[in-house]
Amino acid sequence: MTHPLDVDRTSDGYAPLASYAALGDGRTVCLLAADGRIDWLPVPSLDAPPLFAALLDARRGGTIELRPTAPARSRRRYVPGTNVMETIWHTADGSAVVQDALVTGTAGRLPWTQLDRVVRGLSGRVAFDWRVAPGDLLDGAEPTVAAEPGRKVVRVRDVRLAVATDAESTDAPGEPEFRGELVVKEDETRVISLTATSGEPLPLPRVEVGGVERTIRAWREGSSAHRFDGPHEAITTRSALALKLLIHSPTGAIAAAATTSLPEDPAGGKNWDYRFAWTRDLAFTVRALVRFGLTEETHAAMRWMLDTIESQGGEMPIFFTLDGRVSDDVRASSAPGWRGIGPVLVGNRAANQRQLGVYGNLLTIAREYVAAGHVLDDRARALLTRVGDLAARGWHRRDSGIWELQKARHYVTSKFGCWQALDSCIWLAERGHLHGNLRRWRRERAKVAAWIMRRGWNPRVGAYTMHPGSTDLDASVLLFVGVGFPDTERLAGSVDEIARRLSAGAHLYRYSGMNREEEPFVACGFWLVSALTRLGRQDEAEQLFERLAATSNDVGLFSEMVSPTGELWGNAVQALSHLALINAAIDLDETRER
């Protein structure tokens, strides 16, 4: 039977990216479409091969289905203060609510992956079809029924999967999937519980509603620590909860996104793997966590960053794996990609690029950490002093810039990042937190500022441009408004030119020419909000924030990009999008209070 929500999917089975909500357990993330299908779930961590990946391969990727057998309409929301999804279904015969969660244990995160789907009857009678069909791990692996005694277990290479339910099962013992039907009447409850592990023993799931209830309590207890009382409370709190989905609790690392290879444009080609921890994103994250007062997460992120850089001998790669390694290994999958827009990649080639801005990112993290009242240890001081010296010694070099461009140039925002690194070193040293060569840092900071003002400014354009001699604009200049750089007037002029030339509706393209290659970048619009706020243009900033926030999907989530027609593009859930929103909302609130 054709389901009304099927019209949201293309004929070959792909749903709009805006239809996905995200669930997580502190280690992995799954994506749940509005029609009740879970089309993305890596096991055991979000950077592992996805056991369910219909998001990128509708035919062989694997999916988890649960929806009414009769024509139905639905509405959904996150249970307030949580990352548990609640969908209410209405049919001609009755209504029912489904709660979906990657569940937690009684003492925190479970050591295995467990997805629970609890169905409760609200009125009348509602029948559902359900199916759990694992995929090929995006590389041609074949799901099989494992030769295990007792309950049925499906195996895909080292990943094992089991399902428990009090609903009717109709799959055959030898089929490498689980399926069946369930019926709920008013006040009746049915449960489908899935457990999975990789390369370790598999605990068989139990049929209980307590897992979802326990997870709701855990999320609410955790989210009570980051209350935001401003006028944008709902979307800001949702963004903070989305960000928490990307915190890899075993290490404290923060993933840039939960997915790989979702395209940035209908033409394809720009399909990257963002399941890594970027130094740049961590700097924004720590700033947001500090401003929310989330001490535990701030400390974990700070410790992870310092440990990881120290393990690399003080080198400054631009991103790391979630367990702290540097890897530039890239492998292409035979999967067709979302809506057939490939390629599908595992890994990211940018690991060995030089990006001078990471010096400013790391030292900004330290400055925010100390400004919040925390204390650095001797090891951290020594490492940060070395990073400050690297900035002082290397700011004049070419690099790939914040956007990881192939051609190395003297990108202006990279020089801004070096200026910010040295400024943070000086700030920390003047307060006794670092013990480096303060005279040298001051001298080099002045040289960087002079270079930026002399070579980065283009008087014909009336703005700071991408690199000397260029007329192209770069939205990342917005990040350096109001941070103390001694050229407020020309930065203000740059803000106006960027807003005029890079805007597409409420959003902005990353830099000149991107309107021909990709969709507008969500974070850039919120960077403009922060820049306007710091320039004292509060009314403009408030109006822009409202327009931007209205372009999220129905449950308050953003991917990487939003097209001028409102479609979501790029990897999701995207940390940088939600971080920019959070910091813009706090900037607005702080300015309003002043």
Side-chain angles (χ1 to χ4, degrees), residues 17 32 35 44 71 81 172 182 253 264 270 278 292 330 332 417 495 525 545 573 579 585:
L17 296 183
L32 168 64
D35 60 1
L182 67 85
E264 299 176 0
K270 289 188 171 184
W278 259 258
F292 261 121
V330 178
V495 170
F545 186 97
V573 174
L579 288 165

Side-chain angles (χ1 to χ4, degrees), residues 69 172 217 408:
T69 58
R217 290 194 299 271

Side-chain angles (χ1 to χ4, degrees), residues 316-331:
M316 290 288 294
I318 62 176
F319 68 82
F320 302 88
T321 63
L322 300 183
D323 58 2
R325 295 176 293 107
V326 175
S327 173
D328 61 356
D329 181 49
V330 178
R331 179 173 53 82

Side-chain angles (χ1 to χ4, degrees), residues 23 55 95 112 135 261 330 332 374 395 441 512 536 542:
L23 316 175
L55 181 70
S95 60
W112 59 84
S261 304
V330 178
H374 306 304
W395 68 264
W441 288 342
S512 298
E542 288 275 7

